[in-house]
Amino acid sequence: PNFLLTGYGGLELIRGGIHTEIDAASLLPRNQVGTAIGTGFDWTLAANAGLYLRQRWMDFEDKNFELDRYRGRETTIELKIYF
């Protein structure tokens, strides 16, 4: 009861229209796709304290804007104490 595994998954689709920025090279509007997957845990240390760890891997690309692409990961560690 003091330990909990967590999971995360995400998909983000962004489509531009006539009122969005147009790429000078392709002459096309935004066409973005982002994906992410993650895992982590919550560990209750005491009645008023907990340790939270999250790891997330992400990938983002705009198919019409050549320089708009990144891949990365994010790790967060939180120690929460309630008074």
Side-chain angles (χ1 to χ4, degrees):
N2 295 336
F3 192 81
L4 177 70
L5 289 175
T6 64
Y8 170 84
L11 173 64
E12 179 180 50
L13 303 171
I14 300 172
R15 304 290 185 253
I18 61 172
H19 299 292
T20 60
E21 184 180 4
I22 303 295
D23 181 56
S26 68
L27 301 176
L28 295 170
R30 299 250 175 231
N31 183 12
Q32 301 173 342
V33 177
T35 58
I37 189 167
T39 187
F41 67 82
D42 298 352
W43 184 16
T44 302
L45 303 173
N48 64 338
L51 181 67
Y52 306 92
L53 174 79
R54 300 287 186 272
Q55 176 70 43
R56 186 169 69 132
W57 296 268
M58 63 200 97
D59 183 33
F60 173 85
E61 176 184 21
D62 190 324
K63 297 178 183 193
N64 295 335
F65 285 67
E66 184 178 332
L67 299 177
D68 288 358
R69 178 176 177 91
Y70 66 85
R71 283 188 175 157
R73 66 176 181 234
E74 173 184 67
T75 303
T76 60
I77 300 173
E78 297 179 63
L79 174 62
K80 293 183 181 180
I81 301 172
Y82 301 98
F83 297 95

